[in-house]
């Protein structure tokens, strides 16, 4: 379960601060996404939220996800290659992912985020970026590989 999820008042405030309305659909989509640990697609969010809002459309779910992404409370996780659906993440803290190249599924890694990792991996790179006028404000780390159905992690044949 997402331990850094916003309460609905804070979410409403974030939407309104960005000039967007806080609608029941946007709140329901966020709540559903925040309750899901598996980085679902828009279609999976749609299927999960429909029992609560039977009249919601897939287009409304996509628009809600766009709005939530725009205000920074949801991350859009694009597919590694051109194939595969975009997935969404409502976990508010910085963290790492593992992406299964066979299924496209994305899993959170239990390793704590390290803001100084780039500096330690390659101090020359950090210096080079600074000398060129770049200011790194964060990074994303995604491990790629295969996860067997039984979770053992074997390679695709």
């Amino acid at each position: 379960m997402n331990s850094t999820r916003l309460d609905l008042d804070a979410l409403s405030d974030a939407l309104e601060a960005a000039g967007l309305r806080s609608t029941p659909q946007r709140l329901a989509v966020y709540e559903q996404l925040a309750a899901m640990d598996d980085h679902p697609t828009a279609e999976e969010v749609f299927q999960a939220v429909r029992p609560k809002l039977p009249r919601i459309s897939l287009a409304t779910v996509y628009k809600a996800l766009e709005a939530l992404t725009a205000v920074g409370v949801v991350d859009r996780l694009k597919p590694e290659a051109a194939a595969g659906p975009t997935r969404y993440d409502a976990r508010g803290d910085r963290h790492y992912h593992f992406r299964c190249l066979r299924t496209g599924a994305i899993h959170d890694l239990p390793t704590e985020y390290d803001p100084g990792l780039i500096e330690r991996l390659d101090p020359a790179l950090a210096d080079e970026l600074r000398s060129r006028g770049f200011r790194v404000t964060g990074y994303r780390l995604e491990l790629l590989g295969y996860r067997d159905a039984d979770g053992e992690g074997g390679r695709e044949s």
Side-chain angles (χ1 to χ4, degrees):
M1 179 82 57
N2 179 359
S3 61
T4 56
R5 107 191 232 180
L6 294 175
D7 64 41
L8 293 184
D9 289 336
L11 177 57
S12 292
D13 291 346
L15 287 164
E16 290 168 8
L20 299 169
R21 289 184 357 182
S22 175
T23 65
Q25 293 86 354
R26 287 175 178 162
L27 298 178
V29 166
Y30 176 81
E31 272 196 305
Q32 185 60 54
L33 180 60
M36 301 171 87
D37 289 329
D38 59 351
H39 304 84
T41 64
E43 291 80 4
E44 290 167 338
V45 174
F46 170 66
Q47 292 300 327
V49 84
R50 274 194 88 189
K52 296 172 195 150
L53 294 173
R55 297 178 53 134
I56 196 167
S57 69
L58 180 57
T60 299
V61 169
Y62 272 106
K63 288 176 188 171
L65 289 167
E66 273 182 40
L68 296 167
T69 300
V71 299
V73 298
V74 166
D75 283 329
R76 180 181 295 121
L77 306 172
K78 296 184 178 174
E80 172 63 20
T86 297
R87 295 180 175 273
Y88 296 89
D89 187 357
R91 186 171 158 182
D93 63 330
R94 291 182 175 187
H95 60 284
Y96 306 124
H97 292 122
F98 175 88
R99 182 184 302 260
C100 178
L101 295 172
R102 180 178 28 261
T103 66
I106 299 172
H107 306 274
D108 290 336
L109 296 176
T111 304
E112 187 175 329
Y113 181 84
D114 180 357
L117 181 64
I118 303 301
E119 187 83 35
R120 278 196 305 289
L121 282 175
D122 188 347
L125 174 62
D127 291 340
E128 174 68 18
L129 290 170
R130 276 192 291 278
S131 73
R132 294 171 133 198
F134 293 105
R135 186 172 58 91
V136 177
T137 59
Y139 66 92
R140 293 177 191 227
L141 176 65
E142 183 175 87
L143 302 181
L144 306 173
Y146 299 93
R147 183 172 192 261
D148 286 343
D150 63 7
E152 293 296 318
R155 171 128 174 100
E156 182 178 69
S157 40

